[in-house]
Amino acid sequence: EAGVAQSPRYKIIEKRQSVAFWCNPISGHATLYWYQQILGQGPKLLIQFQNNGVVDDSQLPKDRFSAERLKGVDSTLKIQPAKLEDSAVYLCASSHLREIKVFFGQGTRLTVV
Amino acid sequence: AQRVTQPEKLLSVFKGAPVELKCNYSYSGSPELFWYVQYSRQRLQLLLRHISRESIKGFTADLNKGETSFHLKKPFAQEEDSAMYYCALSGLGNTGKLIFGQGTTLQVKP
C-alpha cells in the first residue's frame, strides 16, 4: 500500500514568518496524527484527528499552531508566526480506527533562522 | 507523570554480540508498550509491541511491570540492525497517541 505522504520534505524560514505542512494519509485510515520531533528527542504528539474531528490537541501550542483535516482525508499543519524553537521534524502518521499499527510519513524538516 | 526513559543515547556492539536496549516507563494505568525503529533514510516504523509477545527480526521485549521496564533484546546482533530505536507507550484503547523515549542509536560494528 502507498505510504503516508508529506510535503515539503524541507523548509527554511525566518522567525516570525508562517509555514504550512501537508499530509496525505494512507487511504482508508480514519485516524491522523501530527508529531513534532526536535533534534535529539523522541517524537511528541501535537494533535490527533479521527476523521475530521479533533480527538486530542492538548500539546498543540494553539497561540501559533493550527491544524485542520477537511473532509477527513488530507491534513495541513500551520505555524504562524514561527519561532526558533519550532525547528524540528514534523511527522504525520495515520492508522485505521482502533488499529494498533501506526504508519509514519517521512517527515518535513523545518529550520527557523 | 507519563514518561519513557531510554538511558543510553548510543549503544555500540560487535556483530554477533548480544544486544539489550533499555527502556523504563512511568504511567498511571495499564499502558501498551512498543518499540519503533528508524533505519537510515527510512521512515519510523513499528518493530514490535508487548501485547503480541512476538519476535521480529530476532528481537524480543518483555514487559516487566514490577520494574516498569520493556527492554529490547537480541542474542546475536547483525550489521543491518544498526538504526535508531525508540521505546514508546500509549494508553489502552488509544494506541496511536504515543509517548516516545529519547531514542537509542544502535551501532553494530563488523
Side-chain angles (χ1 to χ4, degrees):
Chain A
E1 60 188 351
V4 176
Q6 290 188 246
S7 67
R9 290 293 311 278
Y10 306 92
K11 190 76 177 178
I12 300 174
I13 61 171
E14 295 182 350
K15 60 184 179 184
R16 291 187 289 274
Q17 284 188 321
S18 63
V19 64
F21 313 126
W22 173 82
C23 173
N24 180 230
I26 292 173
S27 178
H29 281 192
T31 310
L32 184 147
Y33 317 83
W34 283 101
Y35 283 82
Q36 178 193 57
Q37 186 172 18
I38 293 172
L39 187 65
Q41 300 181 20
K44 182 184 84 171
L45 180 70
L46 293 176
I47 188 166
Q48 178 183 353
F49 291 94
Q50 191 159 296
N51 296 308
N52 59 352
V54 175
V55 174
D56 186 338
D57 63 358
S58 56
Q59 297 195 91
L60 187 74
K62 298 180 187 65
D63 58 334
R64 297 184 301 104
F65 286 65
S66 65
E68 61 182 9
R69 191 183 183 198
L70 299 176
K71 301 180 183 177
V73 182
D74 294 4
S75 177
T76 56
L77 176 69
K78 296 179 182 177
I79 308 175
Q80 182 179 12
K83 293 185 175 181
L84 296 176
E85 58 261 36
D86 298 332
S87 294
V89 175
Y90 290 85
L91 296 167
C92 181
S94 69
S95 68
H96 280 297
L97 200 61
R98 288 185 288 277
E99 175 65 42
I100 285 177
K101 192 166 183 179
V102 177
F103 294 83
F104 284 84
Q106 295 217 322
T108 295
R109 183 178 297 278
L110 173 67
T111 303
V112 183
V113 298
Chain B
Q2 301 170 11
R3 186 185 301 124
V4 176
T5 303
Q6 294 178 249
E8 303 139 326
K9 277 198 163 182
L10 172 67
L11 182 63
S12 186
V13 302
F14 284 101
K15 176 183 171 182
V19 170
E20 183 178 48
L21 299 167
K22 291 184 166 42
C23 172
N24 289 90
Y25 67 91
S26 170
Y27 189 81
S28 55
S30 297
E32 296 202 41
L33 275 296
F34 306 86
W35 277 98
Y36 277 79
V37 61
Q38 188 166 25
Y39 300 102
S40 179
R41 297 190 189 89
Q42 294 189 28
R43 301 162 190 237
L44 190 61
Q45 58 186 290
L46 178 65
L47 179 62
L48 54 81
R49 49 194 170 99
H50 90 271
I51 275 184
S52 58
R53 301 183 67 82
E54 58 201 342
S55 172
I56 303 292
K57 299 184 179 183
F59 285 97
T60 59
D62 290 318
L63 179 61
N64 185 322
K65 291 185 179 180
E67 296 183 358
T68 60
S69 69
F70 187 57
H71 303 326
L72 183 68
K73 299 177 184 179
K74 185 170 182 177
F76 308 103
Q78 303 298 315
E79 289 182 68
E80 55 265 30
D81 296 329
S82 295
M84 176 70 89
Y85 291 80
Y86 293 95
C87 183
L89 69 78
S90 72
L92 280 176
N94 190 357
T95 50
K97 184 180 176 182
L98 296 160
I99 298 169
F100 284 89
Q102 307 94 308
T104 298
T105 300
L106 174 64
Q107 183 184 74
V108 182
K109 296 178 284 190

